[in-house]
Amino acid sequence: MHGRRRELVREPSVDEKAQAKQRVEKYCALNTHVMTLRAQHEHTEDALAATRRLLELNTELHTVWNYRREIFAHLDGWQDAEKKQQMLELELGFLLEIIMKNIKSYWMWNHRTWALSQLPAPSWDGELKLVAKLLAVDARNFHGWDYRRFVVSKIRETSDDPAAVDR
């Protein structure tokens, strides 16, 4: 589809099936662990790390992205602008890793807009450069275009120069 050659699919070996089963079991155990933490209202660095591990495996878990936001809001330092900036910059780094794995994850883009909206000092120009690179790779990515509209609106909101993004 879309210029890619179709590859023949072969039957996985017994070892490959066993490895796949083991990966699924680990994933399910991690998912259960994260959901248990959430149900127990656990808002710690350990819970944040567990959500990260789970989202690295599956970026489409909107409940887990929402749980990450809850965790951030309860962490020590969230009320301090400097610490909040540091935490969210690390989060943006994590999100960049996710972008490289799954550029079309709706929930990742949604979380990125949240993180930037929470940042005391966001770099909108940096975000515009990032989205330009992403759209150069895949100009049909509607997530990228939607995100670009968000970034441009923020630049226009915060800039003294109304034509700042038109250049």
Side-chain angles (χ1 to χ4, degrees):
M1 180 177 219
H2 300 296
R4 292 187 183 170
R5 292 189 142 210
R6 186 174 207 182
E7 295 180 22
L8 294 176
V9 179
R10 65 174 179 75
E11 181 69 25
S13 70
V14 172
D15 279 348
E16 290 170 329
K17 286 181 181 179
Q19 289 173 351
K21 182 179 179 188
Q22 191 175 31
R23 281 192 308 271
V24 169
E25 288 170 354
K26 284 182 180 179
Y27 171 82
C28 289
L30 180 56
N31 188 49
T32 300
H33 174 65
V34 167
M35 293 305 164
T36 301
L37 291 172
R38 184 168 187 248
Q40 294 171 345
H41 304 287
E42 188 77 26
H43 299 110
T44 63
E45 293 285 345
D46 289 340
L48 196 63
T51 62
R52 179 186 178 120
R53 289 192 308 274
L54 184 55
L55 290 167
E56 286 171 341
L57 297 173
N58 183 355
T59 62
E60 299 303 321
L61 299 169
H62 68 279
T63 302
V64 179
W65 288 113
N66 291 336
Y67 180 37
R68 278 184 81 77
R69 290 184 205 140
E70 292 172 19
I71 294 169
F72 275 113
H74 288 88
L75 288 178
D76 288 339
W78 187 253
Q79 302 305 320
D80 177 81
E82 190 174 320
K83 289 180 183 178
K84 185 177 187 178
Q85 183 79 23
Q86 291 171 347
M87 285 189 271
L88 288 171
E89 284 176 357
L90 288 173
E91 186 71 353
L92 291 174
F94 166 58
L95 291 169
L96 191 55
E97 292 173 25
I98 297 295
I99 288 171
M100 299 306 166
K101 291 179 184 176
N102 184 3
I103 195 171
K104 295 184 178 182
S105 169
Y106 172 82
W107 296 109
M108 181 280 307
W109 287 111
N110 180 275
H111 190 73
R112 190 167 184 94
T113 59
W114 170 83
L116 282 157
S117 297
Q118 297 296 311
L119 262 175
S123 171
W124 296 115
D125 290 334
E127 290 301 305
L128 191 60
K129 288 175 186 169
L130 170 67
V131 79
K133 287 179 186 177
L134 297 174
L135 290 172
V137 172
D138 182 4
R140 296 181 297 178
N141 182 348
F142 75 89
H143 297 293
W145 285 107
D146 190 44
Y147 185 68
R148 186 182 188 284
R149 280 189 290 278
F150 166 75
V151 171
V152 167
S153 73
K154 290 299 183 180
I155 290 172
R156 287 189 174 140
E157 265 179 37
T158 59
S159 177
D160 295 334
D161 180 9
V165 280
D166 297 334
R167 290 185 231 136

